[in-house]
Amino acid sequence: MSIRLENVTVAVPDGADRRVLLDGIDLEVAPGETVAVTGASGSGKSTLVAVAGLLRAPDAGRVVIGGVDASALKDRGRVRLRRDRVGIVYQSPNLLPALTAREQVEIVAHIRGDLGRAARERAVELLTRVGLEDRLDARPAELSGGERQRVGIARALMNEPSVVLADEPTASLDPERGQAIIDLLVGEARRAGAATVVVTHDPEQAARADRRLHLRGGVFHADHAQSRT
């Protein structure tokens, strides 16, 4: 399933005025495609993720996931659509200190009310795919930054999402670990056939995507690095 943003506008108070973060944004990402979004700090990249992930309603425009218009849904319907169709990887994985790596991933199924044998096996499978088969019972304090982010990726994929969104997922990692995480995220999303948007400040990481867009002045511009390739 694809994700489509149509004429999305978001503005925030700025003293006596309002500052436009997203100005009539149009974006469509196909199943299995990865789009990288770059831009300066404060350019609206995180707002874009929040709107696409149904965490924030736009002031105007609409978000369509797998043919479902989220703007036409009530709050409960939006929550259900996000829970069932969207996986989000954050800059900080926000793991629960008392839970093991396996339990961090299983909690997604628990929230949906289907933590049966199949869900437990899927959690182990995902953690194995991200290279943590020997760390299933480790708690966050026992994991490195890169390992914690790998748990976050596995957790985002647990509900077999149609859409994967990543907001600066490597900002707290060194370049080598950051590149490994981006490669892993893009590879797993492609394997799952998920429409994927990765927000990053790193041009080398953005180069791993199928398309690159630069957010400036509330609108998209072709990524300069892409235009030279």
Side-chain angles (χ1 to χ4, degrees):
M1 295 185 182
S2 65
I3 181 171
R4 189 168 72 251
L5 278 64
E6 298 178 353
N7 198 32
V8 166
T9 297
V10 175
V12 295
D14 186 16
D17 300 318
R18 290 181 67 78
R19 181 163 61 96
V20 177
L21 297 179
L22 303 177
D23 189 5
I25 286 287
D26 290 311
L27 175 65
E28 183 166 7
V29 185
E33 181 186 24
T34 298
V35 173
V37 177
T38 61
S41 178
S43 63
K45 301 188 303 298
S46 292
T47 301
L48 177 71
V49 170
V51 171
L54 309 183
L55 297 170
R56 174 175 184 164
D59 298 325
R62 63 179 191 158
V63 178
V64 181
I65 296 177
V68 178
D69 182 0
S71 64
L73 301 176
K74 295 184 178 180
D75 288 346
R76 184 172 295 182
R78 286 169 60 88
V79 168
R80 186 178 300 113
L81 182 62
R82 182 174 67 246
R83 181 195 67 194
D84 293 343
R85 296 298 182 187
V86 180
I88 303 178
V89 181
Y90 297 97
Q91 179 175 333
S92 172
N94 298 318
L95 303 182
L96 298 171
L99 299 186
T100 66
R102 174 166 37 197
E103 291 167 342
Q104 306 281 352
V105 179
E106 288 177 347
I107 198 170
V108 176
H110 181 73
I111 290 171
R112 295 178 64 180
D114 62 356
L115 185 54
R117 179 177 177 180
R120 292 188 176 93
E121 290 176 349
R122 175 166 173 77
V124 172
E125 175 194 351
L126 286 169
L127 287 166
T128 298
R129 287 221 306 260
V130 301
L132 294 177
E133 62 271 22
D134 297 328
R135 308 291 278 156
L136 299 178
D137 297 321
R139 289 178 169 78
E142 302 168 311
L143 299 171
S144 69
E147 288 173 335
R148 289 194 292 271
Q149 196 59 285
R150 286 170 181 263
V151 174
I153 292 172
R155 184 178 58 190
L157 296 172
M158 180 63 179
N159 64 344
E160 300 182 84
S162 306
V163 175
V164 173
L165 308 169
D167 187 6
E168 296 281 9
T170 67
S172 61
L173 304 176
D174 63 66
E176 184 176 353
R177 289 182 179 178
Q179 195 63 67
I181 288 296
I182 286 294
D183 287 344
L184 174 65
L185 174 60
V186 171
E188 289 299 321
R190 285 173 177 162
R191 181 203 296 258
T196 304
V197 177
V198 178
V199 166
T200 178
H201 64 280
D202 189 321
E204 291 187 9
Q205 294 178 6
R208 295 295 200 269
D210 300 304
R211 278 192 288 146
R212 286 163 277 170
L213 297 171
H214 187 76
L215 190 58
R216 185 175 73 249
V219 298
F220 282 134
H221 301 265
D223 187 285
H224 293 307
Q226 180 172 262
S227 66
R228 292 196 299 267
T229 59

